[in-house]
Every structure is written in structure tokens, then in C-alpha cells.
Amino acid sequence: MWTKALILAATQTLLLGGVMATAEPFETFETAPETRWSYVADTVMGGVSTGNVQFIREGQTTFARLEGTVSTENNGGFIQFRRALPDAADADAQGLRLRVRGNGQTYFVHLRTTGTRLPWQYYQARFETSGEWREIRIPFAAFERSGRLLRKTVRSEALTSVGIVAYGRDHSAQVDVSEIAFY
């Protein structure tokens, strides 16, 4: 069973020099990412958060940048960018690998599966950012379900979408993501 300390260590691991084998990313934001990713905010349900997603190239690195202002006014509290997955992960996938940087705030990954049928259902895991690019790994066991009607754990072969989310508190958001892969 995963302990909170082990989950936090796994999600905050900085991998150096190929210490661990990694799967090829399913997203590098290089070719027409705007056709795969969409921006969503709490305004769809009356909230007042504002923001956007941009696709940027800096030198050899392409990435998505989610930025804006998250407000909990009017029962709101999120901005996100989301992608439907054309294929689920392999059944033996253990988690999600991301290459990220940001403004030192906490952000979230939201996963949806074939079992998350209602708009407010998802599995969520947090990650921390800094001003430097780093790779993080989040085991599927670290994702928490949004409600008791969902399975307790994420099944990789049931995944249907992934979202990067600024959520849950009033703050200015800026998070960059250059790669996403299953491991």
C-alpha cells in the first residue's frame, strides 16, 4: 500500500541521466497541440476564474503554458487544459510522467476514465512546481477519486482524458508542461 510519504516522494522525484527507463511521451506539444487540447474554466458553471492555455517554443523546447487567476468566488475555483486520449494506456502502466516547471505553486493532474461519466467526476493528484524544468512521476495509486461512486483506484486501460489543473484556492497560476507519458 502506498503511504503518503512514499507517494509524495514518488511525485517529487527528479530523475537524472536516464536513471529510470521511460516510455515515449504521448504528448510533446510539437505538432498542432491546439487541435488536441482545450481550455476550460469554472465559468462553465458560474465561476469567475480567468486564464488561457498557450503553446510556446523556447529554443528546442515546446510546451503548453496554463496561466490565469483562479478565484473561488461564486462557487468557482479552477482553470485547466484537457486532452481526450485516443488510446488508453497499456494495462501494465504504473503512472504518469510529466516534465514541468512553474511559479512555485501546487497544481493537479485530473484523469478521467470510462467510469467517470458525470462532468464533476475525476481522479486527482497534486504536484509541485519550481522555476526549473523537472521530471515528475505520479503513480496511479496516488490519484484520489472525486467521489465514492468511483472505483478506488485508476485502471490505466480505462483512461479517457488527462487535464492539467490550477484548482481549489485563490491564486495566480502559471504552469508549463513539455512532456506527458505513461510509465
Side-chain angles (χ1 to χ4, degrees):
M1 196 73 197
W2 287 87
T3 66
K4 291 225 183 248
L6 184 57
I7 291 169
L8 183 59
T11 61
Q12 301 303 311
T13 300
L14 176 60
L15 302 174
L16 300 173
V19 171
M20 298 177 77
T22 60
E24 287 297 313
F26 65 81
E27 183 62 75
T28 59
F29 302 98
E30 291 177 359
T31 307
E34 64 280 357
T35 64
R36 296 181 301 281
W37 291 88
S38 58
Y39 170 82
V40 181
D42 58 20
T43 55
V44 300
M45 54 186 228
V48 297
S49 298
T50 59
N52 63 66
V53 62
Q54 302 170 39
F55 302 102
I56 301 170
R57 176 177 295 279
E58 284 181 358
Q60 298 299 315
T61 304
T62 57
F63 58 93
R65 172 173 287 163
L66 176 68
E67 64 184 339
T69 302
V70 178
S71 172
T72 56
E73 287 183 41
N74 218 26
N75 294 318
F78 74 88
I79 60 174
Q80 71 174 301
F81 67 107
R82 173 166 297 286
R83 175 188 172 174
L85 298 173
D87 300 304
D90 291 337
D92 61 347
Q94 298 298 304
L96 200 64
R97 178 177 62 81
L98 303 136
R99 186 167 180 256
V100 301
R101 72 177 178 189
N103 60 354
Q105 300 285 324
T106 300
Y107 295 96
F108 299 87
V109 176
H110 283 189
L111 299 177
R112 292 185 51 86
T113 68
T114 55
T116 55
R117 299 183 193 274
L118 301 173
W120 54 84
Q121 293 178 318
Y122 53 86
Y123 292 88
Q124 173 179 276
R126 71 180 57 226
F127 64 92
E128 305 297 324
T129 62
S130 72
E132 301 297 319
W133 285 110
R134 65 188 197 156
E135 184 175 285
I136 59 170
R137 288 174 175 243
I138 307 173
F140 290 135
F143 282 83
E144 296 179 8
R145 60 188 175 165
S146 63
R148 292 182 3 189
L149 296 177
L150 298 176
R151 293 176 54 94
K152 287 185 179 182
T153 57
V154 174
R155 287 185 11 248
S156 57
E157 65 274 16
L159 291 172
T160 59
S161 73
V162 60
I164 306 299
V165 187
Y167 169 79
R169 62 188 169 72
D170 296 331
H171 68 285
S172 293
Q174 182 178 324
V175 59
D176 300 337
V177 181
S178 68
E179 290 183 4
I180 305 175
F182 297 115
Y183 69 90

